[in-house]
Amino acid sequence: MGIFTTCYNRRKRRIIVQIFKGKTENEAIEKGLRELGIDRKHADITVLQEPTKGIFGVLAKEAEIEIIALTDEDLENRAKKTRQIRLLYAIGGVVLVVALLIIYLVNPEEKKRRNDSRYISYTARNFYIRF
């Protein structure tokens, strides 16, 4: 049986954190999921300590994991946050591309350089070609 700890999340909802031990990480995870009666999708799993062999089996330590059972509401909130973050990244990328295009097309100094044959020959002489 795992070690039970009670704590509260940001919304002041009570959640129970359980710690399980096993010879390997997978063994501890399977033991915890089986005892809680949930699948991996409904669990937030954190490895607290990886197993160590020790010296000749002495001072060996078991794997220690922490499992927080998630409700369907928690999973929906995570999916919603993920969608929002992806949308923000997409909007940020579009804004960046548009800003770079505006800077490139509106910059009058760059247009002068592109049309100036002396600038092109000067840069070609010095092996410094600028596009």
Side-chain angles (χ1 to χ4, degrees):
M1 186 162 180
I3 301 169
F4 296 99
T5 306
T6 303
C7 60
Y8 295 89
N9 66 3
R10 292 182 194 156
R11 289 187 229 127
K12 304 295 181 191
R13 287 180 45 206
R14 185 174 159 213
I15 56 173
I16 297 175
V17 179
Q18 298 181 357
I19 299 172
F20 296 94
K21 293 184 178 184
K23 289 183 181 179
T24 64
E25 290 175 19
N26 286 335
E27 182 182 311
I29 290 169
E30 292 302 320
K31 179 181 173 184
L33 294 176
R34 192 173 42 249
E35 188 172 314
L36 294 172
I38 57 175
D39 58 351
R40 230 183 172 107
K41 179 178 147 186
H42 286 87
D44 191 10
I45 301 170
T46 306
V47 177
L48 301 175
Q49 178 180 341
E50 294 182 359
T52 58
K53 292 182 180 181
I55 301 170
F56 301 113
V58 180
L59 302 174
K61 294 183 180 179
E62 292 184 323
E64 194 171 299
I65 59 143
E66 172 186 82
I67 298 179
I68 299 173
L70 302 174
T71 62
D72 289 332
E73 181 184 343
D74 293 333
L75 293 176
E76 289 173 11
N77 289 338
R78 279 189 180 185
K80 185 178 178 182
K81 285 181 184 179
T82 303
R83 285 192 302 270
Q84 289 173 345
I85 289 171
R86 286 182 182 167
L87 180 65
L88 286 175
Y89 276 128
I91 291 170
V94 169
V95 168
L96 179 65
V97 168
V98 168
L100 290 174
L101 280 172
I102 290 171
I103 290 170
Y104 180 74
L105 295 174
V106 174
N107 191 354
E109 192 64 33
E110 193 65 34
K111 287 181 182 177
K112 287 180 187 175
R113 287 184 183 170
R114 278 187 266 153
N115 296 330
D116 189 8
S117 61
R118 288 178 301 155
Y119 177 75
I120 294 171
S121 63
Y122 173 77
T123 56
R125 273 195 310 247
N126 293 320
F127 302 102
Y128 182 75
I129 300 172
R130 193 166 173 180
F131 295 98

